[in-house]
Amino acid sequence: MASLYDIGVSAVINCTIMSLLFIFFLVFNIQPLNDRVYHPKLYMKDAQRKGSPSSRSSHPKMDQYFETKCLPYLQSFAWIVEAFRMSEHQIIDHAGLDAAIFLRNIQVGLKIFIPLMTVGLSTIVTINVGGGYLKSLDHGKVANINNTLNSSPTNSLLFTDIDKLSIANVPSGSSRLWTHLVMAYVFTAWTCVVLYNEYKTISLMRLEFLRSARRQANQFTVLVHQVPKSTVESINIQVQKYFRANHPDFYLSHQLVYNANRLANIVKRRKNKENWLSYWHLRFKASNERPMTRRYGCGMCGTMVDAINLYTTKIEKLNKKAELERVAVLQDASSTMPSAFVSFKTRWGAAVCAQTQQSFDPTKWITAWAPEPRDIYWPNLAIPYIKLACRRVCVGICLFVLVFCFMIPITIVQSFASIQGLRTQFPQLEKVLKITYFASFVQGYLPGVILKFFMKLVPYMVRGLTIFEGHSSFSRLDQQGAMKYYYFMVVNVFFGSMLTGSALEQLQSFLNSSSVVQFLKTLAYTIPMKATFFITFIMVDGWAGAASEILRPWGLLSYHIQNAFFVHTEMDKVRAMDPGPIIYYVNLAQLQLYFLMGLVYSVITPIILPFVVVTFAINYVVYRHQVIHVYEAAYESAGSFWPFVHGRIIVALYIEQLMLIGLFLVQGPITFKTIHVSDDDSLKEKALKFCQQAMSSTPFVVALPIFTYIFHRYCKTRFEPCFLKFPLEHASKKDMDDRTRDPNFNMSEFIQNSYKHPDFLDERVLQEIRKETQLPTKIQTKPQKHKNEMLDNTVDIPNMVEGTFVCNNKFIS
Amino acid sequence: MASLYDIGVSAVINCTIMSLLFIFFLVFNIQPLNDRVYHPKLYMKDAQRKGSPSSRSSHPKMDQYFETKCLPYLQSFAWIVEAFRMSEHQIIDHAGLDAAIFLRNIQVGLKIFIPLMTVGLSTIVTINVGGGYLKSLDHGKVANINNTLNSSPTNSLLFTDIDKLSIANVPSGSSRLWTHLVMAYVFTAWTCVVLYNEYKTISLMRLEFLRSARRQANQFTVLVHQVPKSTVESINIQVQKYFRANHPDFYLSHQLVYNANRLANIVKRRKNKENWLSYWHLRFKASNERPMTRRYGCGMCGTMVDAINLYTTKIEKLNKKAELERVAVLQDASSTMPSAFVSFKTRWGAAVCAQTQQSFDPTKWITAWAPEPRDIYWPNLAIPYIKLACRRVCVGICLFVLVFCFMIPITIVQSFASIQGLRTQFPQLEKVLKITYFASFVQGYLPGVILKFFMKLVPYMVRGLTIFEGHSSFSRLDQQGAMKYYYFMVVNVFFGSMLTGSALEQLQSFLNSSSVVQFLKTLAYTIPMKATFFITFIMVDGWAGAASEILRPWGLLSYHIQNAFFVHTEMDKVRAMDPGPIIYYVNLAQLQLYFLMGLVYSVITPIILPFVVVTFAINYVVYRHQVIHVYEAAYESAGSFWPFVHGRIIVALYIEQLMLIGLFLVQGPITFKTIHVSDDDSLKEKALKFCQQAMSSTPFVVALPIFTYIFHRYCKTRFEPCFLKFPLEHASKKDMDDRTRDPNFNMSEFIQNSYKHPDFLDERVLQEIRKETQLPTKIQTKPQKHKNEMLDNTVDIPNMVEGTFVCNNKFIS
């Protein structure tokens, strides 16, 4: 149990760590050497756009390694100001709607918790301090504890300063508790107001985004699953006939789905060889001498041969193989999946087909909006639809095991890794274990390291599970992964910190010995006591985490190591600096955990709120920078993950309210006035008791989750369809616009290759499609020093050049 | 606790009552006097079809009152044979698909429970009897009881013969329990197989029915709710513009929805007056003397005037008033609801509109299939959509109170109505209470009567709640009502019989003192003991209930009383004999209760199964007769209630499996082999314990509801859409058929008046529409004695005339 002083010390330590990380970032960020680590987005887009611009311009080696001038160091904070300069519209244009809504998610945290913090600190903390219950206990009345908190699971309670600020300081049945009840209502109401407004804004943003989107293949295309098996006709003809018959005025064309996973493998190998070839070509250019290499094992064994010749023949062989495989896939009926991308002449036709039931058998001819071509996760399209159900069941069971049995193997490994365990398992280590340093390492650090190691594995396990589940788009994978990871963290991090033992044991004890109410009571006891733990958690995980997010130490290290040893060609360079997209499923789930902690403690120990607010604020700044400079969106789902975010905040509200119910059960219901019951009339007595209960806090506490549920339902019916369906109204309007603007547009040609498996297309078509589906990158910021090199293809945007410091004022149009 | 002998006595008594009721029916059924009570369907259809045929033909008074010949008495069982003669297709033609599927529901009971009974009686009962646990207890080892059943709620356990046939006779941990586990799997699997086949058949029947249906207005019409408010345009113009823009190729016309409840009231009053007028006309005809009546209060007060003149002027006045109201409704913007029936040129267009989201705001322009014109519950169409949400919340709360607090007022009233209560409340009754008979009546009967009275009120309360909830069609009202009534009965009848105290107290005790598992254990203890109670319940409620359903004592009484005193005109006569439609919401819920009892006891006390089977068999025969001869469908929803039936049987399976889990917890898990755990290694111990648990019955019992859930989900996705949506495939096929068959069909004219408020149409149009929307009544059975009278408009159907007895072989084509 930490005192206020301990928290202060912890805060100072964490602030120092965070500050150090930030200072490192500020210094590193300025060095031209690290430019590709901290601003990879520009280089990536550049590389995609113009083939190989970096050979011409901005490799830091050509310029200088370290910044030696003074000015940039003085301006090292400029990135913050710059990050805030971009309006939301510019961010949408620059990084996509998903990124903008991800930022909004963090903003929602600020919107919810800043007022909560203000009110909480000013009222609840005052009320709690005035409660003086713990002080009275301190004055030698410890005997009372065991009396009052009879069923308390911990018999030795120690109270600290933090607890004096929490609800634990208010004596049972005190009328001060009414304040907490009222505040719970106020906080819930405020959270709901913010959530409602946000859902409304975001659904409008989404619709506006979809409305104003250029003509894109996915607007006209529907993914059809479960084409029924036929012995007479091929799937190709079946699809054509079916949609000609049922959507005669709208059906345009279709694209079959093939199981081309083997082909994809060959193409991948070929790309690797091509990369090697270009490396050898570079070597040849540099030394003007035919490079030699060994024949096998990446040049490790075999006879020496001419490297360029070797790789040319290798590539040719793979090309032939790929061609053969391509033909085989097209001809082999078993490679054709019973699915198809069906395109329509109008958006209206596609919207209709996506939203309606086609066949009388609802498990046949299932239609759904086709994801963006970039968004498709091709390997999963090759899973037969029938297997998906089985996989879903398996994943459900695995997830249950992962969530509830996660601590079991860890405890076992930890017990093996303890001194005792090592001694019994490996008697030969006896001598080593006698070394004091080693022993203390084993005792003090090893369990933590093991836990950390397993925790780091979880996102990968979650990702693996989600992919195995068979979702056919990256956006779905992210959403489903976030859901799983969130519940894992709620059980293992949030509740796991409160209760001891593995989650499965808790579940067992919940089912076995204690009742629902008893379980709530146990939680309610531990909650206020665990506040200090969560404050520390927030500081370590939220503050230092955000700082290391912007510093990207692993990215930095890996880039420089790769750059020093493994980068041979352009492709290697791009690969080395590529930070990938934001890992939504991890980040979203982590953010939701802060929401949960903030909301649960908002009424109980509001002293936690400033820490939460600071976390959100730091994360907001950091991710604004990252979204603008680092991460490149892999797909655009127009914010389809928002219902997840909204739903999880509602879940946090539910948990908060359940905890409150538990607390009020522990404290005993508070009544407006006590009604004395006479013993003579049992009926009257019953009625009086009923009145007393009705006048107490109980119905008010119980009503809270009911209100939240109603709000939840309302939001679900009001806004969620916007994220699942596309209204016909918009579709017909956009169709009309298109018709008037461009009456002779050739839709067939436009749609032709959009949904072909990428490995079926040659590289040129693929480039074009990528360009088509990518967002228009209007604004890209670029550190000043490359100004001269970039000038040829940049334009000034006047309103962005203002400001006293000279930085990042050039934008590629 | 009843013994086998007691059950036998009870069965004999109930069989006697049932037989008596049936004999009464057989005798009454033959009497021409009761013809309109037991075969009203024919008369009703006749009356609707040809104006007033009964004046010409079949009033029993014109023929004879009582059957005096012998032959009919000998053939009194013919109705059973006759009921089974009709094939399912004929029943669908005659009574509609809803009725046929209702019968199928009872049939499902037979299909499930006959094999369960056979297997259960042959295996489980043998195993139970061989268990011999209770016998061993009888032999003086009573001390063991308190040892073994330590936490048993009842300390004094008495075992009877019935219990020796139940699972209670198997000692804890006996390997005999594996049989029960295996049987639970077998029974669940069989139930699922039956349910799956039935769902499949019924969804095919529904689709076939819809496919083969004649051209009907509801196939082309969509009900649009929430037309947004506009200050510029009227709703009429808005609707037109909107659908012209968004469904340009398919929109045909629309019909606004008016709040015409006041008009409906006036029309109702006018109809009443018209009935009186025709009565006076009849009087005039009979006596040839102008009848006189008093001016006010239905002829009770005021001056004497000429009745015919009086009512003619009254009707004229009301006609004028109705006309004015009609104009007012049409002109007053506030009477126009923001809803409309929008009709489309093709079924495809309507199917598309009903299934898609129209506006970007999902709470505006909400579309759904329009119910059949007959099915519409007009008063609820006048409820603003926004109010519906509030009403739904209110109804939710009311339902909770009704279900869980139902016993509270009853207990209070019962305590008032007890001798003690009466004495304290009404001291003046002291003398009366001293009369032995009265006292014993108060003590013995009054509580039962009060309970029965309140229970009889429940369906009306449920109906009221459902109507208040604002569903706009009778079919929805029936489904939602059935859902509510079912849950009421599950809590108050099923669980209420097992546990003492009101349901709210149980809920409280469940939340407070006992854990989930403890609650299950308590239930598991009481379940086997309550088997005898439920057997009696099934006999009283199911057997005698079915017999009184076919006897219709209230209908009989009311018809004869009305006929004797109040029937003046044709309309009165029709009204007196009208049995109304089947009250689905009560009947469906009651049937589901038998499913619940049968399934829950199928493994525990299979001796209950024969009683369940007999109940279903009797009900099947009775309702076949009723459907053919008595009840006339008020609407045709094409079996849309089947998902409810299916879902409730699944719920019954869940409850059964939970009870089994409880029982196996009580009995302790049975293991394949006991693994002895040594104390030296805690880790190994844990692993062994885990293995032991994994090898025991626990995972098998727990897996059962999971399998059921998977089956449930599968059926939901596989079949439920058939009951909610109309596939485009069928729509376009039917459209095509129509186009080829009747290319010049005037759809506008056809659709024109279908969805006008009935009180807006004159009587002639209404008659036509009624005829249009009604099912083709191909087959109508008619008792023999009216053969001559009906011959002019009947035809023989040869395959129905076979058979040795001469009855009901004439059918109206």
Side-chain angles (χ1 to χ4, degrees), chain B residues 83-264:
Chain B
F84 279 96
R85 284 206 154 198
M86 266 196 173
S87 73
E88 190 161 51
H89 278 290
Q90 287 169 327
I91 287 187
I92 294 174
D93 286 341
H94 174 66
L97 188 60
D98 283 338
I101 290 180
F102 178 71
L103 290 180
R104 256 187 176 269
N105 181 13
I106 310 177
Q107 233 178 334
V108 167
L110 293 172
K111 280 185 194 165
I112 290 178
F113 288 112
I114 289 176
L116 255 62
M117 177 182 71
T118 324
V119 178
L121 291 186
S122 58
T123 49
I124 300 181
V125 167
T126 327
I127 294 285
N128 287 346
V129 169
Y133 178 60
L134 301 180
K135 212 174 176 184
S136 73
L137 290 181
D138 279 349
H139 284 289
K141 293 179 191 168
V142 186
N144 271 345
I145 306 175
N146 292 329
N147 247 345
T148 334
L149 309 173
N150 213 351
S151 48
S152 152
T154 53
N155 283 324
S156 59
L157 290 171
L158 289 167
F159 300 107
T160 64
D161 301 338
I162 290 281
D163 291 329
K164 282 181 189 155
L165 304 178
S166 87
I167 203 170
N169 199 25
V170 180
S172 309
S174 159
S175 58
R176 279 168 188 269
L177 286 173
W178 283 108
T179 321
H180 296 88
L181 192 55
V182 171
M183 280 301 137
Y185 270 84
V186 172
F187 289 181
T188 304
W190 174 248
T191 312
C192 289
V193 166
V194 172
L195 282 180
Y196 177 84
N197 286 334
E198 215 55 33
Y199 218 150
K200 197 173 176 183
T201 317
I202 286 172
S203 61
L204 285 177
M205 275 166 75
R206 178 184 160 90
L207 283 168
E208 179 56 31
F209 184 82
L210 294 177
R211 214 184 48 72
S212 65
R214 288 174 310 135
R215 188 187 274 121
Q216 279 169 0
N218 52 316
Q219 295 161 354
F220 298 89
T221 309
V222 161
L223 177 54
V224 180
H225 278 300
Q226 288 291 82
V227 178
K229 267 182 193 142
S230 159
T231 48
V232 189
E233 286 169 332
S234 73
I235 289 172
N236 198 11
I237 292 170
Q238 258 183 297
V239 172
Q240 199 170 25
K241 267 194 185 171
Y242 192 83
F243 285 92
R244 283 238 169 100
N246 295 318
H247 297 265
D249 306 334
F250 305 102
Y251 168 74
L252 179 69
S253 66
H254 69 271
Q255 196 62 255
L256 292 179
V257 175
Y258 298 102
N259 182 352
N261 292 350
R262 222 160 53 202
L263 176 64

Side-chain angles (χ1 to χ4, degrees), chain A residues 422-433:
Chain A
L422 284 177
R423 259 186 203 141
T424 49
Q425 300 297 321
F426 307 100
Q428 57 270 40
L429 284 179
E430 189 63 45
K431 271 183 192 168
V432 189
L433 286 172

Side-chain angles (χ1 to χ4, degrees), chain B residues 437-448:
Chain B
Y437 291 117
F438 189 75
S440 66
F441 168 77
V442 166
Q443 234 162 354
Y445 254 89
L446 208 54

Side-chain angles (χ1 to χ4, degrees), chain B residues 600-612:
Chain B
V600 166
Y601 281 102
S602 61
V603 175
I604 299 168
T605 315
I607 199 77
I608 211 172
L609 292 177
F611 297 90
V612 174

Side-chain angles (χ1 to χ4, degrees), chain A residues 299-360:
Chain A
M300 304 296 269
C301 53
T303 51
M304 293 290 276
V305 285
D306 184 296
I308 293 179
N309 285 351
L310 177 70
Y311 277 89
T312 316
T313 51
K314 270 186 179 176
I315 289 167
E316 266 166 24
K317 258 188 205 165
L318 282 171
N319 267 341
K320 260 182 211 156
K321 213 173 161 188
E323 208 43 60
L324 282 176
E325 179 66 29
R326 229 168 253 154
V327 174
V329 164
L330 287 176
Q331 283 177 347
D332 181 15
S334 69
S335 297
T336 313
M337 304 305 299
S339 309
F341 290 99
V342 179
S343 297
F344 291 82
K345 286 174 195 156
T346 58
R347 289 179 187 83
W348 195 91
V352 160
C353 183
Q355 292 177 47
T356 49
Q357 187 184 335
Q358 308 302 313
S359 158
F360 78 97

Side-chain angles (χ1 to χ4, degrees), chain B residues 597-643:
Chain B
M597 288 172 188
L599 284 174
V600 166
Y601 281 102
S602 61
V603 175
I604 299 168
T605 315
I607 199 77
I608 211 172
L609 292 177
F611 297 90
V612 174
V613 168
V614 170
T615 311
F616 278 114
I618 298 174
N619 271 287
Y620 187 59
V621 177
V622 165
Y623 277 104
R624 258 191 107 96
H625 175 267
Q626 301 296 80
V627 157
I628 295 169
H629 289 283
V630 180
Y631 297 123
E632 176 69 43
Y635 59 83
E636 179 57 59
S637 72
S640 64
F641 59 78
W642 186 258

Side-chain angles (χ1 to χ4, degrees), chain B residues 630-730:
Chain B
V630 180
Y631 297 123
E632 176 69 43
Y635 59 83
E636 179 57 59
S637 72
S640 64
F641 59 78
W642 186 258
F644 160 79
V645 171
H646 177 88
R648 280 346 93 192
I649 299 178
I650 295 275
V651 167
L653 276 179
Y654 286 139
I655 295 178
E656 178 212 347
Q657 290 156 2
L658 278 179
M659 297 290 139
L660 262 188
I661 292 178
L663 261 175
F664 271 86
L665 286 170
V666 171
Q667 303 270 6
I670 29 172
T671 51
F672 283 114
K673 66 176 189 190
T674 317
I675 298 163
H676 290 288
V677 175
S678 62
D679 289 339
D680 58 342
D681 194 338
S682 75
L683 205 72
K684 214 178 258 172
E685 187 186 347
K686 265 185 189 173
L688 278 172
K689 207 171 158 191
F690 184 78
C691 285
Q692 193 167 2
Q693 275 196 350
M695 298 282 282
S696 77
S697 58
T698 317
F700 293 100
V701 189
V702 174
L704 203 49
I706 297 173
F707 287 135
T708 313
Y709 176 75
I710 293 169
F711 171 75
H712 181 40
R713 292 297 313 172
Y714 174 72
C715 283
K716 222 180 159 64
T717 50
R718 171 72 182 78
F719 297 116
E720 210 175 279
C722 293
F723 291 81
L724 303 171
K725 294 171 180 176
F726 189 61
L728 295 190
E729 194 180 342
H730 279 208

